[in-house]
Amino acid sequence: MRKNIVAGNWKMNKKFDEADDLINGILTELEETELGENTLMILCPPFPYLEMCSDYSNDSYFAVGAQNVNDNERGAYTGEISAEMLESMEIEYCIVGHSERRAYYGETDAMIARKVDRLLEHNIRPIVCCGEVLEEREANKQFDVVKRQITDGLFHLSAEQFGQIVIAYEPVWAIGTGKTATPAQAQEIHAFIRNLIAEKYGKQVADETSILYGGSCKPSNAKELFANPDVDGGLIGGASLQVEDFVNIAKAF
Ligand code: PGA
């Protein structure tokens, strides 16, 4: 059975002591209330806090993910972080192709495909983001956009490799804007994505792939979103920076 996943994407937020407080706060909450048996929480802090986060995760209340990785194996790439480094720190997940990286750092589907390859070579599960911008939604192009992103970014993988992938559908117009896709809009495109995967890799692989929703997900709308059959959780930005909000979202299944 595919997992329900709530992943917190902290983006470029929190100083060291604030990060410590946030992780501690989440741990304290989790010690008091258990999440659903099939629910996995993943924290994706900025790189400098990965080790602290991993140390805390020893009690296995949550898994740890990075927010980005370089598409090269190693070498003269000043300021970059490799999949090999993440693996050596026992990081289990990594977000790839977030719309902010596509928009501000020129990430293409081809680059995202290479990042996915590096991660899989190092036994790290990619959380691969896709989603349309507002103009594309208004022109009813969301299906074409998402299909291109998934086909070009992921469909070079074998079925076995694809089994390691988590997808995050994040309509760009809903990220950090307070505008959320309606549960019906989310379900429609999640079902479309699952169908794409089924056509390429078969029903079993499609049924086992967790497809997360992202974009202004908060405690007040998480339940409605997660109640849809093809919405298997969320990639949470702003609301993952608050202990109570994040834990309440994780309890919304
Ligand atoms: P948001 O961000 O929850 O702040 O909208 C989601 C994301 O970008 O992953």
Side-chain angles (χ1 to χ4, degrees):
M1 186 163 74
R2 62 180 180 259
K3 281 226 165 294
N4 291 325
I5 297 176
V6 171
N9 174 13
W10 295 11
K11 309 191 181 183
M12 196 173 74
N13 290 297
K14 302 286 179 191
K15 291 186 282 187
F16 188 83
D17 55 340
E18 294 168 340
D20 196 14
D21 286 350
L22 178 55
I23 303 166
N24 256 307
I26 292 170
L27 265 184
T28 307
E29 285 284 322
L30 293 182
E31 278 161 5
E32 280 165 17
T33 37
E34 276 187 22
L35 299 180
E37 210 183 303
N38 194 40
T39 302
L40 170 67
M41 180 185 275
I42 307 174
L43 302 189
C44 303
F47 287 127
Y49 311 146
L50 281 172
E51 189 178 1
M52 166 167 62
C53 215
S54 286
D55 287 348
Y56 278 120
S57 81
N58 277 342
D59 294 336
S60 64
Y61 282 106
F62 51 77
V64 182
Q67 296 175 17
N68 184 31
V69 70
N70 188 267
D71 57 328
N72 294 287
E73 178 60 23
R74 73 174 74 81
Y77 301 99
T78 300
E80 291 297 301
I81 306 284
S82 69
E84 175 180 68
M85 294 174 192
L86 297 176
E87 183 187 33
S88 71
M89 294 173 69
E90 295 175 17
I91 300 305
E92 293 175 87
Y93 291 85
C94 182
I95 299 170
V96 187
H98 190 280
S99 61
E100 287 149 16
R101 298 223 49 98
R102 293 177 190 259
Y104 308 145
Y105 302 98
E107 288 196 9
T108 60
D109 292 322
M111 199 185 289
I112 289 159
R114 290 196 298 275
K115 291 184 178 209
V116 166
D117 290 344
R118 295 295 84 72
L119 290 170
L120 292 177
E121 283 158 14
H122 290 283
N123 305 308
I124 297 167
R125 298 189 61 179
I127 302 172
V128 182
C129 303
C130 60
E132 78 286 355
V133 300
L134 185 61
E135 302 80 70
E136 292 163 338
R137 166 68 62 167
E138 283 172 350
N140 204 29
K141 293 223 169 82
Q142 64 273 24
F143 299 106
D144 295 343
V145 171
V146 165
K147 183 174 181 180
R148 189 207 70 227
Q149 291 170 333
I150 290 189
T151 305
D152 295 355
L154 293 172
F155 279 3
H156 62 290
L157 300 176
S158 68
E160 196 190 329
Q161 288 175 315
F162 196 91
Q164 298 303 307
I165 302 293
V166 175
I167 306 263
Y169 167 67
E170 301 202 302
V172 181
W173 47 271
I175 295 177
T177 58
K179 281 189 206 155
T180 320
T182 63
Q185 283 173 325
Q187 169 56 26
E188 182 184 40
I189 201 134
H190 281 229
F192 172 79
I193 293 169
R194 199 176 306 285
N195 194 45
L196 274 181
I197 301 168
E199 281 172 6
K200 171 76 180 171
Y201 295 108
K203 190 169 176 326
Q204 198 187 338
V205 173
D207 282 347
E208 283 169 9
T209 304
S210 297
I211 306 177
L212 317 183
Y213 168 81
S216 299
C217 186
K218 34 189 186 269
S220 58
N221 58 26
K223 225 182 182 61
E224 264 193 311
L225 285 161
F226 299 171
N228 288 288
D230 290 298
V231 180
D232 308 311
L235 180 56
I236 318 298
S240 74
L241 300 172
Q242 307 277 340
V243 174
E244 244 181 70
D245 283 356
F246 188 55
V247 173
N248 281 332
I249 293 171
K251 289 198 277 192
F253 292 103

